C-alpha cells in the first residue's frame, strides 16, 4: 500500500499538529493545508475534475424489506428518537485498520454498510421520519479530497448524499453535523450502544442503559424470523460455501504437503471472490485439533489417515453467513472407528433435523440429538446406563461438549440479544433459520475411553430453514452420509 504522503496526511488538514510543526509553523494553515503544499499546487488540485455524480440510481434489492423492518421498529417505539450507528473503523496497528463491518442493526435497517454512518428515526406525526447520516463526497476546494486520511483519493469514491438517498430509499444528511444536533435535541431517545463513541458521548445525558437495552433486544428479536430477501441471501451464502468445501477437497494433497493453512486459504479465496468475507474464522481442524471446538490457529499438519473437521461459512455481500461443518477423512476413506463415531453423529443429526418443525419447542432438536449420542455412548460402554440416568446427570457432555445449534443470519450466532423466552425457551416459526450441529469429541488425553477413540472429533452441521410444513436443509448440496461422503470425495479428488 502507498504510504508516502500518509504520515503528514493522517493527521488531516483540520487538526494538523505534527511534531515538525512546532519547530516550523506551517505557511498555509489558513487553507487547512499542509506545509510543503505550495499555493500553486493547492490551487491546481481544486479544479480539472469531471462531474461523476450518478443520476437515476435504482434502489438496492432489499429496499422494500429494509423499509418494512424500519416500520416495525417505529411501531414498537412511538414518539421516541432512535439512533442506530454503523460504527467506526478500528485501528489494527499504527495507521492500518481492520476491515470494516457495519453493525448488524444498522445494516439490517438500511442495507448500507458505510463506516461512521448513523440511522436516526425522528418521531413524526405518523410514526417516524428516517434519515441516514453519512460522510458526503470529499470537498475538492479545501483539499480534503487529497490531503485528509478520509479523502476519497485515499479511500475511494463515496456515494453523494443524493445518490445514497436514491439507493437506500432514505433521505441522507451530513454525519459531521449529527453529534451537535443530537446534543441539542429534546425528547426521549434510545441508542444502540457499543459502536460509535462520539455519538454515545453526545447522548450520554439523555439515554439510560435499561431503555437502550430494550432497543437492542427488540432489534435482535426482530431478526429471528427471516424475510424472503434474507432467506435468498442465506441460500446464496450456503451455495458459495458448498463450492468452498469442494475447493478444499480438491487440494487436500497440497494441504498434506503444507498445513491446515492451505485449507483456510483455499476456503477464504472462495469467500472473497463470491462473497464479502468468511462469516467467522474458519475452523480447519485436522486430527486431534477437531477436539478443540474453536480451533482457528489452523497451523497444524494434515495427515492421511486423520479426519479433517472443517467448519466454515461464506458471508454474502449483504452480510448473511452460512455455518457448515463437515468431517472428512483426509485419505478419502473412513477407518472403522472413525466411521463408527461419524455414523453416530450423523444419526443424531438426522434426529435433530427431524425435530425442526414449525410449532415445535426450540429445545426439541437439541434434546433429540443428545439422546441419540447418549444411546451410542452407553452402547459402546463409555458411560454406564441407563440412558435416562446419563441424560439427567448430563454425563454425555464430557464428549458432546456444546449445544446442538443456534439461530443463523447476519451474525453466525444470530439474535444473541433475544430474550430466553423468545429464543431458547421459545417456539420455532416458519422463516427461522438455525444450525443443527451435533458432535462427539474424544480428547487425545482422555483416559476414560479406549485408546482407539482418542484424538477423534466429529461434527456435522447444516443450516435448516423452518418452513410452513416442516423444514428445508439449505446445505443439502454437501453429502453427510458416510458412504456418500467417500464417493463425493473420490469424484472431486479425481
Ligand atoms: Mn454453528
Amino acid at each position: 500500500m502507498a504510504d508516502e504522503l500518509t504520515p503528514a496526511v493522517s493527521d488531516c488538514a483540520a487538526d494538523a499538529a505534527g511534531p515538525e510543526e512546532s519547530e516550523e509553523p506551517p505557511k498555509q494553515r489558513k487553507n487547512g493545508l499542509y506545509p510543503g503544499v505550495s499555493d500553486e499546487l493547492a490551487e491546481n488540485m481544486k479544479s480539472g475534475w469531471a462531474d461523476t455524480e450518478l443520476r437515476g440510481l435504482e434502489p438496492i434489492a432489499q429496499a422494500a424489506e429494509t423499509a418494512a423492518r424500519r416500520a416495525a421498529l417505529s411501531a414498537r417505539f412511538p414518539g421516541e428518537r432512535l439512533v442506530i450507528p454503523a460504527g467506526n473503523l478500528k485501528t489494527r496497528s499504527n495507521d492500518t485498520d481492520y476491515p470494516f463491518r457495519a453493525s448488524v442493526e444498522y445494516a439490517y435497517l438500511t442495507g448500507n454498510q458505510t463506516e461512521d454512518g448513523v440511522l436516526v428515526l425522528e418521531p413524526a406525526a405518523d410514526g417516524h421520519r428516517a434519515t441516514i447520516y453519512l460522510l458526503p463526497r470529499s470537498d475538492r476546494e479545501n483539499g480534503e479530497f487529497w490531503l485528509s486520511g478520509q479523502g476519497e483519493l485515499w479511500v475511494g469514491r463515496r456515494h453523494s448524499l443524493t445518490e445514497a438517498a436514491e439507493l437506500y430509499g432514505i433521505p441522507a444528511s451530513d454525519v459531521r453535523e449529527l453529534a451537535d444536533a443530537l446534543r441539542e435535541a429534546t425528547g426521549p431517545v434510545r441508542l444502540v450502544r457499543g459502536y460509535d463513541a462520539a455519538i454515545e458521548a453526545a447522548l450520554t445525558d439523555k439515554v439510560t442503559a435499561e431503555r437502550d437495552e430494550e432497543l437492542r433486544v427488540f432489534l435482535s428479536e426482530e431478526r429471528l424470523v427471516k424475510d424472503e430477501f434474507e432467506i435468498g441471501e442465506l441460500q446464496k451464502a450456503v451455495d458459495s460455501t458448498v463450492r468452498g468445501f469442494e475447493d478444499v477437497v480438491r487440494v487436500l494433497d497440497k494441504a498434506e504437503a503444507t498445513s491446515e493453512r492451505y485449507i483456510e486459504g483455499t476456503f477464504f479465496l472462495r469467500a472473497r471472490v463470491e462473497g464479502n468475507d468468511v462469516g467467522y474464522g474458519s475452523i480447519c481442524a485436522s486430527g486431534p485439533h477437531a477436539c478443540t471446538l474453536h480451533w482457528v490457529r489452523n497451523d497444524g499438519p494434515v495427515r492421511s489417515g486423520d479426519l479433517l473437521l472443517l467448519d466454515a461459512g461464506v458471508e454474502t455481500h449483504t452480510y448473511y453467513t452460512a455455518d457448515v461443518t463437515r468431517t472428512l477423512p483426509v485419505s478419502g476413506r473412513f477407518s472403522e472407528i472413525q466411521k463408527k463415531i461419524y455414523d453416530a453423529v450423523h444419526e443424531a443429526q438426522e434426529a435433530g433435523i427431524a425435530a425442526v418443525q414449525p410449532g415445535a419447542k426450540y429445545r426439541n432438536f437439541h434434546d433429540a440429538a443428545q439422546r441419540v449420542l447418549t444411546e451410542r455412548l452407553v452402547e459402546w460402554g463409555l458411560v454406564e446406563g441407563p440412558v435416562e440416568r446419563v441424560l439427567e446427570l448430563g454425563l454425555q457432555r464430557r464428549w458432546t461438549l456444546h449445544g446442538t445449534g443456534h439461530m443463523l443470519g447476519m451474525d453466525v450466532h444470530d439474535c444473541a440479544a433475544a430474550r430466553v423466552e423468545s429464543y431458547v425457551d421459545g417456539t420455532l416459526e416458519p422463516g427461522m433459520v438455525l444450525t443443527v450441529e451435533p458432535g462427539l469429541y474424544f480428547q487425545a488425553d482422555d483416559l476414560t475411553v479406549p485408546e482407539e477413540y482418542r484424538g477423534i472429533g466429529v461434527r456435522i452441521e447444516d443450516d435448516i430453514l423452518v418452513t410452513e410444513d416442516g423444514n428445508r436443509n439449505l446445505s443439502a448440496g454437501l453429502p453427510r452420509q458416510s458412504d456418500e461422503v467417500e464417493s463425493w470425495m473420490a469424484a472431486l479428488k479425481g
Side-chain angles (χ1 to χ4, degrees):
M1 75 199 303
D3 73 347
E4 203 174 321
L5 269 176
T6 308
V9 164
S10 62
D11 285 343
C12 177
D15 55 7
E20 295 84 3
E21 279 180 74
S22 55
E23 293 163 26
E24 192 183 322
K27 282 196 290 191
Q28 288 148 333
R29 285 298 287 276
K30 64 182 186 298
N31 289 336
L33 291 183
Y34 266 87
V37 175
S38 68
D39 290 339
E40 288 77 6
L41 177 59
E43 198 56 34
N44 175 277
M45 288 297 283
K46 286 181 185 178
S47 60
W49 309 107
D51 174 9
T52 62
E53 181 75 7
L54 304 168
R55 294 175 177 86
L57 290 173
E58 291 294 322
I60 57 168
Q62 57 173 322
E65 284 84 358
T66 58
R69 297 169 200 161
R70 291 193 302 276
L73 173 62
S74 167
R76 169 65 180 82
F77 299 103
E80 301 187 46
R81 179 176 290 106
L82 307 172
V83 181
I84 299 109
N88 318 119
L89 287 168
K90 286 189 170 58
T91 301
R92 181 175 182 270
S93 183
N94 186 28
D95 60 350
T96 59
D97 297 315
Y98 287 105
F100 179 74
R101 189 179 192 268
S103 76
V104 161
E105 292 88 346
Y106 176 85
Y108 178 74
L109 293 167
T110 65
N112 178 257
Q113 302 176 352
T114 312
E115 62 265 28
D116 304 328
V118 184
L119 171 69
V120 179
L121 298 190
E122 292 282 342
D126 55 347
H128 286 83
R129 186 166 37 81
T131 306
I132 36 172
Y133 289 85
L134 298 166
L135 207 54
R137 300 281 325 267
S138 288
D139 194 323
R140 308 220 177 188
E141 284 290 317
N142 69 5
E144 181 207 345
F145 160 67
W146 62 295
L147 291 170
S148 159
Q150 284 186 312
E152 288 179 302
L153 184 132
W154 290 93
V155 301
R157 187 189 187 280
R158 288 187 280 271
H159 283 298
S160 71
L161 297 181
T162 308
E163 291 168 0
E166 285 179 358
L167 283 170
Y168 302 105
I170 309 171
S173 287
D174 189 338
V175 71
R176 291 171 298 191
E177 290 151 21
L178 179 61
D180 285 343
L182 289 174
R183 224 172 262 117
E184 286 158 25
T186 56
V189 54
R190 296 183 196 245
L191 163 73
V192 178
R193 298 185 178 202
Y195 297 123
D196 191 319
I199 296 296
E200 286 189 40
L203 288 170
T204 184
D205 298 330
K206 301 175 196 283
V207 294
T208 70
E210 296 82 351
R211 288 161 44 76
D212 288 352
E213 180 63 10
E214 287 172 1
L215 173 59
R216 191 173 79 101
V217 168
F218 177 84
L219 288 171
S220 201
E221 293 186 356
E222 189 181 6
R223 293 188 285 114
L224 280 167
V225 173
K226 272 62 182 176
D227 59 37
E228 284 303 313
F229 177 85
E230 295 183 282
I231 292 165
E233 290 298 294
L234 283 164
Q235 184 67 66
K236 272 193 226 169
V238 169
D239 292 346
S240 288
T241 299
V242 168
R243 289 188 280 274
F245 275 64
E246 291 167 352
D247 295 340
V248 166
V249 172
R250 286 192 196 95
V251 300
L252 278 177
D253 56 334
K254 294 198 174 68
E256 281 184 70
T258 54
S259 78
E260 295 164 337
R261 289 287 166 93
Y262 207 96
I263 293 162
E264 180 184 335
T266 299
F267 189 82
F268 185 63
L269 177 63
R270 181 65 70 171
R272 286 293 281 173
V273 169
E274 294 194 3
N276 179 54
D277 204 337
V278 288
Y280 54 95
S282 299
I283 298 167
C284 308
S286 187
H289 290 158
C291 301
T292 302
L293 293 180
H294 288 169
W295 177 259
V296 291
R297 285 182 232 157
N298 300 338
D299 58 358
V302 176
R303 295 193 182 96
S304 184
D306 279 348
L307 293 176
L308 167 70
L309 186 155
L310 176 59
D311 182 342
V314 174
E315 175 185 273
T316 63
H317 296 292
T318 54
Y319 288 173
Y320 290 86
T321 189
D323 181 9
V324 174
T325 306
R326 289 294 181 269
T327 306
L328 309 170
V330 173
S331 68
R333 299 296 296 268
F334 291 99
S335 73
E336 202 176 320
I337 182 71
Q338 288 168 350
K339 185 170 150 59
K340 173 172 130 174
I341 297 167
Y342 183 94
D343 287 346
V345 173
H346 180 228
E347 192 192 342
Q349 198 207 19
E350 291 282 275
I353 292 173
V356 175
Q357 299 289 334
K361 300 302 289 180
Y362 174 85
R363 286 181 190 276
N364 288 4
F365 78 92
H366 172 70
D367 294 342
Q370 288 286 304
R371 174 168 292 275
V372 172
L373 294 175
T374 304
E375 285 168 0
R376 293 298 155 268
L377 291 166
V378 169
E379 186 185 307
W380 298 338
L382 303 185
V383 59
E384 191 189 329
V387 168
E388 291 306 331
R389 179 193 84 96
V390 178
L391 284 169
E392 194 172 316
L393 299 175
L395 300 178
Q396 80 284 2
R397 292 171 59 183
R398 183 179 177 101
W399 304 289
T400 67
L401 297 184
H402 54 79
T404 308
H406 52 84
M407 293 295 175
L408 183 69
M410 300 179 93
D411 279 324
V412 60
H413 297 154
D414 209 31
C415 312
R419 292 164 300 172
V420 170
E421 59 263 40
S422 41
Y423 186 168
V424 179
D425 286 344
T427 300
L428 295 179
E429 293 176 45
M432 289 180 170
V433 177
L434 53 135
T435 68
V436 178
E437 50 173 314
L440 281 176
Y441 312 88
F442 300 100
Q443 305 297 323
D445 58 353
D446 187 345
L447 301 180
T448 71
V449 298
E451 201 170 345
E452 59 173 353
Y453 288 81
R454 294 178 203 160
I456 295 179
V458 173
R459 177 165 65 254
I460 312 173
E461 175 175 33
D462 282 81
D463 301 341
I464 311 294
L465 167 69
V466 183
T467 60
E468 294 291 339
D469 56 359
N471 69 61
R472 189 165 90 227
N473 184 350
L474 302 180
S475 43
L478 286 175
R480 293 180 290 129
Q481 199 271 332
S482 52
D483 292 342
E484 288 172 17
V485 167
E486 289 180 350
S487 49
W488 171 76
M489 290 184 73
L492 287 168
K493 287 170 139 224

